Amino acid sequence: MDLYRFFHPHHNPRLNTTPIRYTELSELLQATTELRKALERAQHRTERAPCPPILPEHFVDVIRAGRFLEEALKALSEAHPGDSEEELQEVMRERSVSSGWDAWTRRVHETVGEKV
């Protein structure tokens, strides 16, 4: 997962001295939401086509934990002061040299350009 590389100091040493950015919190929230939804779909699949010893009820606590993570990340995001234009520019520079971030970089660049 490309997102992981932007949170792990081994892959990105800058993280040792840079505060977490709102953009990053938003991406973590989005990834958590997508994981929870995928788990819900897996639970429904297991209801329709059981795969013993895995049963639909085995997903209940995992889905509950996913909801907890979503709420916690929402609270962190709401508490964050937000990213400045300079911080967004820095994130764009970091990701523009990484594969798979072309569309993201283009969208953020367009958004920042509209605000100027």
Side-chain angles (χ1 to χ4, degrees), residues 23-88:
T23 300
E24 296 166 326
L25 284 174
S26 296
E27 291 166 342
L28 287 174
L29 176 57
Q30 181 181 357
T32 301
T33 300
E34 289 175 11
L35 175 60
R36 183 201 31 91
K37 288 178 179 180
L39 289 166
E40 288 172 346
R41 286 189 292 275
Q43 181 183 39
H44 293 304
R45 284 180 58 197
T46 305
E47 288 170 353
R48 288 190 302 273
C51 180
I54 300 168
L55 302 172
E57 55 268 19
H58 290 130
F59 290 92
V60 171
D61 288 338
V62 176
I63 293 168
R64 188 177 297 134
R67 286 192 183 110
F68 171 80
L69 286 172
E70 283 178 280
E71 292 304 314
L73 286 166
K74 283 179 190 175
L76 291 173
S77 295
E78 289 171 3
H80 196 283
D83 293 339
S84 67
E85 186 176 332
E86 294 80 30
E87 289 168 320
L88 283 174

Side-chain angles (χ1 to χ4, degrees), residues 94-115:
E94 290 172 9
R95 294 181 179 181
S96 66
V97 296
S98 299
S99 62
W101 290 95
D102 300 334
W104 181 92
T105 303
R106 194 170 38 258
R107 278 194 314 273
V108 173
H109 182 69
E110 289 170 0
T111 301
V112 171
E114 290 172 7
K115 291 181 181 179

